[in-house]
Amino acid sequence: MPRLRTVVLVAGAALLTKRALRRRIQAAPLWPMPALEEPVSGRPRSRSLRLRITAHETVADGVVQLRLEGKGLPRWQPGAHLDLVLPSGLVRQYSLCGDPGDTSSYTVATRLVEGGRGGSREVHDQLALGMRLEVRGPRNRFPLVEAPAYLFVAGGIGITPILPMLRALPEDAEWRLLYCGRTRASMPFLEEVGKLAGDRVTVVAEDEDGRPDLDGLFADAVAEGTAVYCCGPEGLMDAVEARLPEGAELHLERFAPRTAPGGGSGDTEFTLELRRSGRTLTVPADSTALAAVRAELPGTLYSCEQGFCGTCRQRVLQGEVDHRDELLSDAERADSMLICVSRARGDRLVLDL
């Protein structure tokens, strides 16, 4: 009898262990495999940090700088940016402009955009000292490469990713900087730029000097192998790209999604099939895949609507994508798209949604 009782107890314990293990496996993020009950599409791509705002100061007309403190923060390289998850739920991207060697804080700056979509207004008016803010990243789509010479072109707040690059350049590096803005008072970090660059910087304030002489700049400063870095308004980047000489290497950091050739005139209507939902939609030429999807599936995640944050990323099962984002790598674009900005290159796409 005692032996039978022992067998029953052992069998019972084994059964309980098996059930507990099954529950634990089913709760795991990769359960069940290989067929997930829900697609992995449409989820934030980076782990989040909760950082405390320890500085919120005005550094130029309409420009606020934030310092976000934590412990053992991931390191970053010049050109990297953060995703800030604002209290409203909006996600916005800001270039890191502090010291890459500082693992206790991150520094970003943002210009107030009147008539924008609300993110910059929230940073300026609603964030305050002591608040904790969710942050994702850092990520870098604008890295500083090795080159025999450099030309940097910054427009206004576009100086933020370029400033850490200037600090990181070797003392014997050959480089020039064109820094332009509406007024000197609206151009952040102007004094530090002057100290770093000396006579290698040309500062152009539109209210004083008019528009920058890009033709003269490229004639004088761009030789074979020069790495040209530009960040600023779309018009400035288009002008730089149009003047890029053969043999120079162009690097752009955009604040807005790429447009179709001809300023969007190339957009056409296409069909979008949502395979898991069993629905087929029409995306008009003057609208987005995101808008069409959310009309049918209002719970579809999204945030920036500019192709930067990755929240709306979806897996593509069939069709060729016209990628217009500034986030996904070439490998990720092989089977994914950001539906807020990217479109079909043909007349049909099929999504795992």
Side-chain angles (χ1 to χ4, degrees):
M1 184 67 68
R3 185 176 179 181
L4 178 60
R5 186 182 301 114
T6 301
V7 171
V8 171
L9 290 174
V10 170
L15 180 61
L16 290 174
T17 301
K18 183 177 180 180
R19 289 176 176 173
L21 182 60
R22 182 184 297 117
R23 286 194 298 271
R24 185 169 182 178
I25 291 173
Q26 290 175 340
L30 297 181
W31 171 266
M33 290 186 71
L36 296 173
E37 292 181 356
E38 296 184 6
V40 296
S41 306
R43 297 292 186 268
R45 303 175 68 249
S46 304
R47 72 183 183 93
S48 296
L49 304 169
R50 297 286 296 182
L51 305 182
R52 188 164 60 92
I53 301 174
T54 58
H56 185 289
E57 58 183 324
T58 300
V59 293
D61 288 352
V63 179
V64 160
Q65 177 177 276
L66 301 179
R67 186 172 70 247
L68 308 166
E69 291 192 0
K71 293 183 179 180
L73 301 181
R75 293 184 177 274
W76 56 279
Q77 298 296 322
H81 69 270
L82 290 177
D83 294 345
L84 267 55
V85 184
L86 302 177
S88 66
L90 292 175
V91 180
R92 294 293 182 264
Q93 293 66 43
Y94 298 109
S95 297
L96 286 158
C97 55
D99 178 6
D102 181 4
T103 59
S104 65
S105 70
Y106 291 140
T107 301
V108 298
T110 178
R111 179 177 299 285
L112 178 62
V113 181
E114 298 289 356
R117 294 176 303 117
S120 66
R121 174 63 69 183
E122 190 169 353
V123 171
H124 279 245
D125 294 348
Q126 298 183 33
L127 299 187
L129 293 178
M131 289 179 60
R132 290 199 171 271
L133 196 64
E134 182 181 350
V135 170
R136 300 173 190 156
R139 294 198 301 269
N140 199 341
R141 297 284 288 177
F142 193 50
L144 181 64
V145 301
E146 291 188 13
Y150 301 88
L151 173 62
F152 300 98
V153 181
I157 197 65
I159 193 64
T160 49
I162 289 175
L163 186 59
M165 296 183 183
L166 303 183
R167 299 191 194 112
L169 290 172
E171 290 186 8
D172 60 350
E174 180 181 339
W175 60 276
R176 291 279 306 277
L177 166 66
L178 170 65
Y179 184 17
C180 48
R182 295 189 302 274
T183 66
R184 286 179 179 265
S186 69
M187 299 166 69
F189 312 117
L190 193 55
E191 183 177 352
E192 182 178 357
V193 166
K195 292 178 180 178
L196 283 170
D199 60 3
R200 289 178 291 195
V201 61
T202 299
V203 177
V204 178
E206 292 179 10
D207 65 332
E208 297 176 356
D209 307 297
R211 295 180 115 14
D213 180 13
L214 292 177
D215 292 325
L217 179 71
F218 275 81
D220 296 338
V222 181
E224 182 79 20
T226 298
V228 179
Y229 282 81
C230 182
C231 183
E234 194 73 17
L236 176 65
M237 291 190 290
D238 288 345
V240 168
E241 190 168 15
R243 289 164 173 79
L244 189 74
E246 186 175 350
E249 182 180 329
L250 181 62
H251 304 265
L252 299 175
E253 177 81 314
R254 297 181 181 275
F255 292 146
R258 295 177 184 270
T259 57
S265 60
D267 289 348
T268 58
E269 180 180 288
F270 66 94
T271 300
L272 190 64
E273 178 186 340
L274 310 183
R275 179 64 54 84
R276 287 176 177 262
S277 303
R279 308 186 193 197
T280 300
L281 319 175
T282 297
V283 180
D286 61 351
S287 188
T288 66
L290 174 64
V293 169
R294 283 186 55 79
E296 291 289 325
L297 304 174
T300 303
L301 297 178
Y302 75 103
S303 183
C304 76
E305 298 183 83
Q306 296 193 85
F308 292 120
C309 73
T311 306
C312 70
R313 178 181 174 183
Q314 301 294 339
R315 188 166 59 176
V316 180
L317 301 179
Q318 293 177 21
E320 187 178 0
V321 180
D322 177 9
H323 291 285
R324 302 182 185 179
D325 66 274
E326 295 296 323
L327 177 68
L328 300 181
S329 66
D330 290 341
E332 291 169 328
R333 287 179 174 182
D335 64 357
S336 298
M337 69 180 287
L338 301 190
I339 61 173
C340 65
V341 293
S342 297
R343 306 180 65 82
R345 200 173 284 279
D347 59 3
R348 183 180 180 83
L349 285 175
V350 180
L351 300 183
D352 179 26
L353 185 62

